[in-house]
Amino acid sequence: MVTNLAANEEQSGSDLSSGESLYASVSGAGSPIILLHGLFGMGSNLGGLARALAPEFEVHQLDLLNHGRSPWQAKTSLDDLARSVANYIGSHSLKSVAVLGHSLGGKVAMQLALAWPQYVNAVAVADIAPVTYPSSHDTVFAALEAVDSARPASRAEAGEIMRELLTEPNLVPFLALSLKRDEAGAYVWRFNVKALRDNYEEFRAAPTGSAFDVPALFVYGLNSNYVDDQGIARASELFPAARFEGIADTGHWLHAEKPQQFNAAVLAFFRESLRASPHQIPKERESQQ
């Protein structure tokens, strides 16, 4: 079963009051698992993982705020992104979910678990740590804005524009997935470039909250520079029950570079974590929400 929820509509500057407005693709049946993509992505980026999980779980692939087909919001923090996911969980009566996020989605997953622990029974984080990261996307934003200005008539033309600024081989085809044709026939971005740039500092920030001993998996590429000893130490402080698994010969895009190893690690973790009785939230934590 696959269902698509909500249409894309602009809500600039407003507070997203209902997670039902987030766009989602839902497949499978069983205990619910939410998948959260990274910056400049959309839910379908984790389609391979969703297909691996769907035979045993109900999988919700969400488009984050300002991405894909979800609403646009001018001011958006890490907490806003997590709150919109919490609202989605509540509005769909999911009660308690497992959640996986890659990169920015991993930060959102951690923030969700720390701020709304009553909603989360397991968390998996792909190639990101709960720390503040330096700015590293200036060239990407320049390429996105160049496409906006040029209003290309084809995906190929958009790709040529981006390749003048971007040298990482997999980056241009990844970004091109978020192109769509507007009513005038030009290719434009599904994500809100201005809001993502304006709030970029917020997305680089570390998740915040008290330590939470929920079952947690941090899986990362051994060739990636996103997870180091400092990040692992901080993850262990916030998630004392965490385990860590590095995938060899793999960078930041581990779900695309080594899908079999990545999917197997995540599936094994969720099988083990969700087979056990639901994680019990301490009453004092629950009362603070």
Side-chain angles (χ1 to χ4, degrees):
M1 175 189 70
V2 177
T3 60
N4 292 324
L5 307 174
N8 186 26
E9 58 182 348
E10 188 166 346
Q11 295 190 0
S12 298
S14 65
D15 179 34
L16 189 66
S17 60
S18 172
E20 195 169 1
S21 295
L22 290 180
Y23 181 91
S25 176
V26 184
S27 58
S31 299
I33 296 177
I34 285 180
L35 304 184
L36 304 174
H37 61 82
L39 185 65
F40 309 124
M42 53 187 171
S44 59
N45 295 154
L46 295 169
L49 177 60
R51 289 188 290 275
L53 296 174
E56 301 179 38
F57 303 100
E58 181 180 272
V59 184
H60 297 246
Q61 297 167 253
L62 301 190
D63 288 354
L64 294 171
L65 284 178
N66 290 320
H67 291 81
R69 293 179 173 87
S70 282
W72 287 13
Q73 184 170 303
K75 181 173 175 54
T76 314
S77 66
L78 196 61
D79 193 66
D80 290 328
L81 295 176
R83 180 181 295 107
S84 69
V85 177
N87 287 339
Y88 177 91
I89 294 168
S91 67
H92 289 83
S93 302
L94 298 179
K95 295 183 180 178
S96 186
V97 306
V99 58
L100 172 137
H102 171 250
S103 198
L104 173 62
K107 281 194 167 185
V108 177
M110 288 185 278
Q111 187 62 48
L112 175 70
L114 295 171
W116 289 272
Q118 71 273 28
Y119 282 154
V120 179
N121 56 30
V123 58
V125 178
D127 210 67
I128 202 74
V131 299
T132 299
Y133 285 84
S135 177
S136 60
H137 291 88
D138 287 350
T139 306
V140 176
F141 279 116
L144 300 179
E145 290 165 352
V147 171
D148 265 345
S149 298
R151 293 183 56 78
S154 68
R155 290 179 181 273
E157 183 183 349
E160 291 174 5
I161 294 168
M162 288 189 282
R163 287 187 185 91
E164 293 179 4
L165 294 165
L166 303 175
T167 58
E168 186 177 338
N170 295 328
L171 191 51
V172 170
F174 163 72
L175 293 170
L177 293 172
S178 288
L179 285 167
K180 66 174 183 177
R181 193 190 295 269
D182 69 8
E183 294 179 355
Y187 277 85
V188 296
W189 297 112
R190 287 192 182 276
F191 47 70
N192 185 346
V193 177
K194 184 179 188 305
L196 296 182
R197 179 184 271 283
D198 289 348
N199 296 285
Y200 180 62
E201 185 174 354
E202 297 280 351
F203 304 150
R204 294 192 294 110
T208 58
S210 301
F212 182 28
D213 64 346
V214 68
L217 171 70
F218 286 77
V219 57
Y220 56 95
L222 292 177
N223 291 347
S224 172
N225 60 2
Y226 276 78
V227 179
D228 58 16
D229 290 343
Q230 178 187 1
I232 290 174
R234 182 55 178 156
S236 298
E237 292 174 358
L238 287 175
F239 299 93
R243 66 180 71 170
F244 299 87
E245 185 168 340
I247 299 180
D249 302 318
T250 311
H252 185 57
W253 307 95
L254 66 178
H255 58 292
E257 295 174 40
K258 292 290 181 69
Q260 289 185 330
Q261 293 93 321
F262 176 74
N263 294 349
V266 173
L267 179 58
F269 169 70
F270 284 139
R271 278 174 173 165
E272 177 183 345
S273 301
L274 302 181
R275 185 185 304 123
S277 59
H279 187 78
Q280 297 299 312
I281 308 304
K283 292 297 183 182
E284 61 271 18
R285 288 294 303 279
E286 193 171 0
S287 64
Q288 292 173 6
Q289 304 310 311

